Amino acid sequence: MTYLDPALPVAERVADLLRRMTLEEKAGQLFQTMVEVGPGGSLVDEPSRHGMPGTSDLVVGRHLTHLNVLAAPPTARVLAAWHNRLQRLAAGTRLGIPVTVASDPRHSFTDNPGAALLSGPFSQWPETLGLAATRDERLVEEHADVVRREYLAVGIRTALHPQVDLATEPRWARGEGTFGEDAALTGRLGAAYARGLQAGGDVARAAGLDGTFGRDSVSTMTKHFPGGGAQLDGEDPHFAYGREQVYPGGRFDLHLEPFRALLSAGTRQMMPYYGMPVGLRADLGSGPEPVEEVGFGFNRGVLTRLLREELGFDGIICTDWGLVTDARMFGLPFPARAWGVEHLSPLERVAKILDAGADQLGGEACPEHVVELVRTGRVSEERIDASVRRLLAEKFELGLFDERRYVDEDAAAAVVGRADLVAAGLRAQSRSVTVLRNATGGAARLPLAPGLRLYAEGVPDGEVAGFARVSSPGEADVALLRLEAPYEERGPGFESFFHAGSLEFGDDVVAHVGEVAAVVPTVVDVHLDRPAILTPLVAALPEGAGTLVVTFGVGTPALLDALTGAVPPEGRLPFDLPRSTAAVEKSRSDVPFDTADPLFRFGDGITLDTRGASLNLSLKVGEPSTST
């Protein structure tokens, strides 16, 4: 069969396969849904805890060949074995179309089934905000290249990242996955990230690759077009109360800037967000006009007129997950995120998504709706073919029909979590540590002296190598308090994974910091998964005797390397830190750097003198590139 001949051009192979496919087989290509890995790498053939069908039903019964793998199995070998079983299952179908396996980010600390996954056996790096804190384009590309190598080893071929939304609303729960608040920095680092994953940059060429997209690449699905950061009150549109996306400052075009950079870098796929634009006028090709108030995945003006026609994107558009079908998550009802079209039936929602210009529906497995739409004449088969061509071409270019269908399970075990990759991730963590205030003297002044008696909170046992851990502040030379940025408890179930709401620390937390700092020189580290109001913490630290650092996904060993100067901290804030809740509430959700009189500014950070003799006060690495 022509489509199995690797010597032929991709377009010829796609055309041959497409003419052999039934409508049902074509429809299956238009869906990508979640699957889980069974014990020992087995296929899960009963409905999962997320309410998804069994793997055999999806691949054989529904003809799906794009699957999003959840969670991290205990070893890379198990994940590789699962991948090979999955591909053997697909190879046994009538046409043998291979599966493209996708994943959310899984190289850091977040553990949220709707956003990112804990690293597990993979090397562990800072969150995206931490990469942005380094300001190092080369480091970002090197990180993405490591992700590429580890993904390839286990068979993951589509990255549901990078996320290049602008974190212009400080309360938004998805800020940690962004490169921060600045459009130019986000575009520059996001492009480096895409080059690293797709083997299109200097790092890949230095390793002997030719820099073109192909068998050694991982396809990037850039999200969330046209920018998801401008959420009303910072609420997230995974949930009905957060569905409105607003632009009170008229900065819609600013949020497009990083996506333009990613298009220039050659990103292969785009994911529109759930948000429903309210009161938006935008240039959709014929001058500014109202944008339909429906979620971006349903929005023809945004996906076809803006992304396809205005910006010239001819790659794959895949919706965010779960726009069509009501489901259950963790045993609780979870309605479809059909914002603005809640009144439509699932069949009508599929029709609107296809009319908008999307090629694929994420988190869904209902190809029967596509078949019905075509059979009843509501959607043409030619329209379906246009999307199937894009999706099949990607498989051929990635080598999935040829030498890349299966992975070497021994090689996966050797590559994933290799010592040098782990060390690179740890060093990047240390570099991303951002020092905002340094004690002027005493034991808390950085760099910390080794061998001190250390009182630590928020630090697991056994993770204070080089110090003598003690059980109370009164016994210590110095204290280290690791805090999480504040948030409001939401839930139950899936909602509890999203840190939203207030940015204020509780009075009890602030009082406790003050109590410890009154007894012993204290270093406070705040893990920022979004901006926090640090004003009371700064006040709680005695003037000159306390040190304040912030981190964006840093383990304790890497933090101590930074605090002792073994790997000097280089971080710079990737966003402003507001002074008060009132300032946040008065700011405009689409406008960067819009909180009045911030406590710390974008670019703030203190540089550790490499000789360990002193600290040079903060050096701003460029002013924000976006005017307010």
Side-chain angles (χ1 to χ4, degrees):
M1 290 182 281
T2 298
Y3 75 91
L4 294 177
D5 185 350
L8 294 175
V10 166
E12 192 173 332
R13 298 177 76 182
V14 169
D16 179 65
L17 177 54
L18 188 63
R19 71 177 179 82
R20 297 174 187 272
M21 297 175 73
T22 65
L23 176 59
E24 288 76 10
E25 288 165 338
K26 293 176 183 178
Q29 308 308 306
L30 271 59
F31 294 85
Q32 177 172 171
T33 198
M34 297 87 76
V35 290
E36 294 181 273
V37 179
S42 61
L43 302 181
V44 177
D45 275 333
E46 60 278 344
S48 75
R49 67 193 180 107
H50 298 289
M52 302 312 303
T55 305
S56 294
D57 180 21
L58 292 171
V59 175
V60 179
R62 308 190 194 197
H63 310 291
L64 268 68
T65 68
H66 298 81
L67 298 174
N68 166 207
V69 61
L70 295 177
T75 68
R77 186 184 296 278
V78 167
L79 185 52
W82 170 83
H83 170 270
N84 287 342
R85 288 188 179 101
L86 179 64
Q87 295 295 12
R88 284 192 289 270
L89 176 67
T93 60
R94 188 178 74 87
L95 295 171
I97 299 173
V99 173
T100 306
V101 176
S103 176
D104 279 310
R106 54 173 70 238
H107 277 77
S108 194
F109 293 80
T110 299
D111 191 12
N112 179 341
L117 305 165
L118 192 63
S119 58
F122 296 89
S123 59
Q124 194 168 42
W125 296 67
E127 303 288 352
T128 311
L129 278 176
L131 296 174
T134 72
R135 300 297 201 273
D136 189 334
E137 194 171 341
R138 176 77 180 197
L139 174 65
V140 172
E141 188 175 323
E142 289 173 347
H143 161 70
D145 184 72
V146 170
V147 174
R148 178 187 68 82
R149 285 185 277 165
E150 292 190 309
Y151 275 7
L152 281 176
V154 297
I156 296 171
R157 302 310 304 275
T158 296
L160 305 180
H161 44 107
Q163 183 185 340
V164 296
D165 308 293
L166 299 182
T168 51
E169 219 305 343
R171 292 168 289 185
W172 186 38
R174 300 295 303 277
E176 189 164 44
T178 74
F179 290 98
E181 195 169 2
D182 185 71
L185 180 67
T186 296
R188 181 167 61 84
L189 298 185
Y193 195 107
R195 290 194 299 270
L197 274 166
Q198 295 186 169
D202 293 340
V203 174
R205 280 188 284 269
L209 304 180
D210 63 9
T212 60
F213 184 84
R215 61 186 294 277
D216 295 308
S217 300
V218 171
S219 182
T220 57
M221 186 182 292
T222 298
K223 60 189 184 186
H224 303 89
F225 190 82
Q231 293 300 133
L232 179 64
D233 297 330
E235 298 292 0
D236 191 79
H238 275 86
F239 313 103
Y241 55 74
R243 69 180 191 162
E244 295 185 14
Q245 194 157 318
V246 295
Y247 298 88
R251 305 306 297 273
F252 176 77
D253 285 346
L254 175 71
H255 289 258
L256 284 180
E257 287 185 16
F259 293 94
R260 295 180 191 272
L262 269 291
L263 290 172
S264 296
T267 188
R268 304 286 296 190
Q269 306 188 44
M270 281 283 186
M271 179 193 294
Y273 206 28
Y274 298 119
M276 179 182 77
V278 175
L280 174 64
R281 297 180 66 86
D283 189 345
L284 301 179
S286 58
E289 60 183 77
V291 176
E292 186 181 9
E293 293 188 356
V294 298
F296 289 121
F298 299 97
N299 204 307
R300 181 173 177 81
V302 170
L303 299 190
T304 293
R305 296 180 64 186
L306 177 58
L307 181 55
R308 292 281 192 218
E309 297 172 1
E310 188 77 11
L311 298 180
F313 181 64
D314 193 37
I316 295 166
I317 299 176
C318 178
T319 74
D320 213 329
W321 270 221
L323 301 190
V324 173
T325 309
D326 293 342
R328 294 186 69 82
M329 292 281 280
F330 305 100
L332 299 171
F334 199 70
R337 290 80 134 185
W339 311 140
V341 297
E342 293 94 336
H343 61 287
L344 297 182
S345 69
L347 183 70
E348 292 168 328
R349 293 171 189 171
V350 172
K352 189 166 181 65
I353 288 167
L354 293 174
D355 181 64
D359 298 299
Q360 199 168 58
L361 285 76
E364 298 285 354
C366 48
E368 66 275 8
H369 290 325
V370 173
V371 173
E372 181 177 346
L373 289 169
V374 174
R375 292 261 163 82
T376 58
R378 295 173 65 183
V379 174
S380 71
E381 191 162 357
E382 289 74 21
R383 165 66 187 88
I384 303 304
D385 287 352
S387 290
V388 175
R389 283 191 192 92
R390 290 189 183 101
L391 294 159
L392 292 178
E394 189 92 340
K395 292 179 185 287
F396 283 113
E397 291 187 58
L398 290 171
L400 287 170
F401 277 90
D402 308 314
E403 74 277 20
R404 287 291 191 181
R405 180 185 284 268
Y406 301 104
V407 299
D408 183 325
E409 295 170 26
D410 291 333
V415 170
V416 173
R418 201 173 68 200
D420 61 321
L421 306 185
V422 170
L426 286 169
R427 183 173 181 83
Q429 290 176 42
S430 298
R431 290 181 59 193
S432 72
V433 172
T434 303
V435 182
L436 295 180
R437 173 177 163 179
N438 190 36
T440 56
R445 178 172 171 77
L446 302 185
L448 298 182
L452 293 174
R453 292 172 297 171
L454 177 70
Y455 172 72
E457 294 181 4
V459 175
D461 291 338
E463 290 194 0
V464 292
F467 294 88
R469 188 164 189 169
V470 297
S471 58
S472 70
E475 302 172 80
D477 299 311
V478 65
L480 171 62
L481 307 181
R482 301 205 71 186
L483 307 178
E484 295 294 320
Y487 61 94
E488 295 174 6
E489 295 285 351
R490 302 279 177 90
F494 184 61
E495 192 177 359
S496 66
F497 290 99
F498 290 80
H499 293 180
S502 174
L503 305 176
E504 297 247 19
F505 283 96
D507 292 343
D508 57 334
V509 175
V510 176
H512 179 66
V513 169
E515 290 165 1
V516 173
V519 174
V520 62
T522 299
V523 178
V524 173
D525 162 49
V526 183
H527 167 222
L528 295 181
D529 57 355
R530 58 191 184 132
I533 295 170
L534 302 182
T535 310
L537 288 186
V538 170
L541 289 172
E543 183 69 29
T547 290
L548 175 66
V549 304
V550 294
T551 50
F552 310 93
V554 176
T556 302
L559 174 63
L560 292 177
D561 276 350
L563 298 183
T564 59
V567 181
E570 303 173 19
R572 298 290 181 268
L573 282 178
F575 40 46
D576 282 355
L577 292 182
R579 185 172 294 274
S580 66
T581 294
V584 172
E585 291 174 342
K586 290 177 182 177
S587 67
R588 294 162 292 179
S589 60
D590 62 322
V591 180
F593 314 112
D594 199 43
T595 60
D597 188 27
L599 181 67
F600 294 103
R601 294 303 310 270
F602 170 90
D604 278 354
I606 294 174
T607 299
L608 183 66
D609 189 306
T610 56
R611 296 165 297 176
S614 64
L615 289 172
N616 298 322
L617 289 179
S618 66
L619 300 172
K620 290 197 175 181
V621 185
E623 290 299 320
S625 66
T626 49
S627 65
T628 59

